[in-house]
Amino acid sequence: MRKPVIAGNWKMYKTLSEAVDTALALKPLVANANHCEVVIAPVFTAIKIVSDRLEGSNIKVAGQDCSTQTEEGAHTGEVLASMLRDVGARYVIVGHSERRQFYSETDAEVNKKTQAGVASGLTVIVCAGETLDQREQGSAESVVSQQLNGGLSGLTASDLDRIIVAYEPVWAIGTGRTATPEQAQEMHAFIRRVFAERHSKETGEALRILYGGSVKPDNMAGLMSQPDIDGALVGGASLKAESFSGIVNYRR
Ligand code: PGA
């Protein structure tokens, strides 16, 4: 049985006090959510205080990115995956389309970040997704498999225990335009097949694949009714405790 993961990506939003307030407001609202792992990803500067304030709760904290480096050194502005773990993060998101699009992140960099995250004992949420143009040209599957093959190259089957894939079609992120449950299911089943072929049937079956892109409390149940959708990576609707808890506690 794959345990669903419902992760909120707060992106570059919230002051320190807003981050703490949201996290504390969320805590009682999801306290009974034993059906899934609940994760929130605040900005780097808020990770420590948010994870301290959530200690003992069922909410875990993620970084939104990490360095490609694996050892400390003269790399101004970078944060090691092990440093995220040191301040309480247990997950890290890598390869988000905003990083690929606005910071020219490559699959090779995503791969290094993924390896660094796994080596530091973090669970790594690796994002992949096609643009609208790519979908319309019929290349969505090849784009996603290329991103995942590149981003996950060199990882062993046991490393894959620490990997979660997030399928996030770029055209659905922050646009209010969600992929239909059927469109998402089709891609999730494809991703699972790719992993089964590359590794083993068991590895494919065990892999958790999240959907991301305009997930809201009212479309979550439809997405989760699909057999290969194992949770969600939520942006905008994770910023408020009420809407994020509505997603976590979707009617099953
Ligand atoms: P969204 O963002 O839910 O606001 O579309 C999803 C994401 O970027 O992870």
Side-chain angles (χ1 to χ4, degrees):
M1 267 298 279
R2 299 184 295 266
K3 188 165 190 183
V5 179
I6 301 176
N9 172 11
W10 287 357
K11 307 193 179 183
M12 199 173 68
Y13 289 99
K14 296 188 186 295
T15 62
L16 201 58
S17 64
E18 288 166 349
V20 170
D21 287 351
T22 309
L24 293 181
L26 185 63
K27 203 159 117 167
L29 299 177
V30 300
N32 297 323
N34 303 317
H35 60 284
C36 66
E37 291 169 25
V38 183
V39 181
I40 53 176
V43 292
F44 285 144
T45 48
I47 291 177
K48 168 73 176 144
I49 191 162
V50 167
S51 66
D52 282 354
R53 299 298 291 273
L54 291 176
E55 205 171 333
S57 79
N58 59 336
I59 308 173
K60 300 284 180 270
V61 176
Q64 297 176 14
D65 187 27
C66 66
S67 179
T68 56
Q69 301 297 318
T70 52
E71 281 174 25
E72 57 181 10
H75 293 280
T76 304
E78 292 290 288
V79 177
L80 287 174
S82 58
M83 291 169 170
L84 295 178
R85 197 173 155 95
D86 186 44
V87 291
R90 292 294 172 262
Y91 297 73
V92 63
I93 299 167
V94 304
H96 190 280
S97 65
E98 286 153 14
R99 299 221 49 89
R100 294 176 188 266
Q101 229 179 318
F102 307 135
Y103 299 93
S104 312
E105 196 161 286
T106 63
D107 292 337
E109 285 166 333
V110 173
N111 185 238
K112 286 188 182 163
K113 292 178 180 194
T114 304
Q115 305 244 20
V118 168
S120 305
L122 297 172
T123 296
V124 185
I125 302 175
V126 184
C127 306
E130 80 287 357
T131 63
L132 189 55
D133 268 3
Q134 290 164 333
R135 175 159 281 260
E136 285 172 350
Q137 284 158 18
S139 54
E141 289 189 348
S142 66
V143 167
V144 168
S145 65
Q146 197 180 323
Q147 287 174 347
L148 291 175
N149 285 338
L152 298 176
S153 107
L155 290 159
T156 64
S158 76
D159 291 337
L160 290 174
D161 290 349
R162 304 208 81 100
I163 301 291
I164 295 170
V165 168
Y167 168 57
E168 299 205 301
V170 177
W171 47 272
I173 296 179
T175 58
R177 187 176 163 189
T178 332
T180 63
E182 294 72 24
Q183 278 173 320
Q185 164 59 26
E186 203 179 357
M187 184 63 84
H188 283 225
F190 168 74
I191 294 170
R192 201 176 299 293
R193 267 200 315 278
V194 167
F195 275 77
E197 280 160 20
R198 260 191 91 184
H199 298 278
S200 65
K201 190 164 180 292
E202 294 68 40
T203 305
E205 275 307 309
L207 180 73
R208 291 180 293 180
I209 309 173
L210 316 185
Y211 168 78
S214 298
V215 175
K216 308 253 165 357
D218 61 4
N219 58 25
M220 184 63 176
L223 290 161
M224 291 303 288
S225 68
Q226 299 295 324
D228 289 298
I229 300 184
D230 307 312
L233 182 56
V234 186
S238 73
L239 292 170
K240 292 212 157 64
E242 296 70 28
S243 55
F244 189 53
S245 66
I247 293 170
V248 170
N249 300 316
Y250 67 95
R251 202 182 286 268
R252 296 191 297 287

